[in-house]
Amino acid sequence: MINPLRSEAEAFRFLIYVVLVVGAIVAVVLIVRALS
Amino acid sequence: MESASIAVGHAEEHEHHGPPPANRSSRIEAQFLGMLLFIISEVMLFGAFFTAYFFIRVVNHDHWPALGTKLPVAVAGVNTAILLSSSLTMHWSLVSAKNENRFGMRAGLLSTFLLGLTFLTVQINEYVHIGFAPHDHAQGTIFYGLTGLHGAHVFVGLTLLSFATIRAFRGHFSAKEHRGVEVPGIYWHFVDVMWIIVYSTIYVL
């Protein structure tokens, strides 16, 4: 399991995951808003 | 002979300086536990501000941003790209340190610092031109509260980065000993993670 506190490399990987997940959530919300 | 061995014993006793090692009551390493507690307290701090934000948007159904105001989404978007690129240079710096690439480590740290400084400067410029103050309405209070709290963290990160950069240019850090770059790096990525959430909720959604 990823632990962003263990090393800088893991923190960097965690940041990339957050960017991808938050980006996906924002995209879904914007699409739903546009359709409704 | 005996007096010689006593003298050696005394010399060994005097080699240790400073207080005795601290008692360890936890199975978790002290540095790790400290960072863990610090990050948890930070998450709770940001959580308190986000609670206020969600309260006025979800519970009160207030207009976001306040009527008659506009948030500079595009400028903040460029600023987000600047901050994310600073995480890339931070990562490059540590990878260089691990590979004994001194130029890469120094260039990475310096560019991370400069990109972070650019982010903070753009944010201050945004405050100057945004057209509302924290005391104008609840939305303004939350906007300045969340972005300001994050800006304060960027400032702390820049302070840590300045120490690491100066040390790097003085010849510190190596492939084996680079904790002085690693710890500010972890903190810097945490600051970036928080900004992704702040930008998405405050500016985009």
Side-chain angles (χ1 to χ4, degrees):
Chain A
M1 190 182 153
I2 190 165
N3 180 356
L5 301 177
R6 192 156 38 207
S7 67
E8 186 274 343
E10 281 189 78
F12 183 66
R13 210 180 317 148
F14 181 72
L15 169 67
I16 292 169
Y17 290 155
V18 168
V19 170
L20 293 175
V21 170
V22 172
I25 292 169
V26 168
V28 167
V29 171
L30 292 181
I31 289 167
V32 169
R33 261 194 212 167
L35 294 176
S36 59
Chain B
M1 187 73 180
E2 196 181 331
S3 61
S5 65
I6 289 169
V8 169
H10 278 286
E12 280 173 1
E13 274 177 26
H14 286 284
E15 269 179 26
H16 176 73
H17 295 285
N23 176 49
R24 287 184 60 182
S25 58
S26 172
R27 275 179 289 181
I28 305 172
E29 203 181 328
Q31 291 92 334
F32 180 80
L33 185 65
M35 181 62 92
L36 189 69
L37 292 173
F38 172 69
I39 298 281
I40 288 170
S41 71
E42 292 286 272
V43 169
M44 286 194 284
L45 182 62
F46 273 96
F49 280 79
F50 274 113
T51 304
Y53 166 80
F54 285 114
F55 185 83
I56 68 158
R57 281 201 77 172
V58 179
V59 180
N60 273 12
H61 296 290
D62 285 344
H63 198 272
W64 183 273
L67 287 170
T69 62
K70 202 178 171 192
L71 299 178
V73 181
V75 176
V78 173
N79 224 11
T80 304
I82 290 170
L83 201 63
L84 281 177
S85 60
S86 76
S87 261
L88 274 175
T89 54
M90 186 71 234
H91 185 62
W92 172 45
S93 174
L94 197 76
V95 169
S96 302
K98 286 176 180 171
N99 293 327
E100 288 288 3
N101 175 4
R102 291 200 164 274
F103 170 78
M105 180 183 66
R106 288 169 179 168
L109 278 171
L110 189 62
S111 47
T112 307
F113 179 83
L114 292 174
L115 285 165
L117 194 64
T118 307
F119 174 88
L120 210 55
T121 310
V122 171
Q123 197 177 12
I124 291 166
N125 186 56
E126 187 183 307
Y127 285 170
V128 173
H129 295 101
I130 202 157
F132 60 86
H135 53 78
D136 284 349
H137 33 68
Q139 290 93 327
T141 309
I142 288 163
F143 172 81
Y144 279 99
L146 265 171
T147 56
L149 179 68
H150 180 267
H153 282 77
V154 173
F155 179 77
V156 171
L158 284 175
T159 309
L160 296 175
L161 280 172
S162 66
F163 295 154
T165 309
I166 291 167
R167 286 187 66 194
F169 275 89
R170 284 185 174 177
H172 293 207
F173 310 127
S174 64
K176 282 187 179 175
E177 182 46 58
H178 47 257
R179 193 180 288 179
V181 184
E182 183 126 33
V183 173
I186 293 171
Y187 182 80
W188 194 251
H189 296 319
F190 163 74
V191 169
D192 270 22
V193 166
M194 290 319 300
W195 177 252
I196 294 300
I197 299 166
V198 170
Y199 175 70
S200 306
T201 49
I202 295 284
Y203 290 89
V204 183
L205 295 178

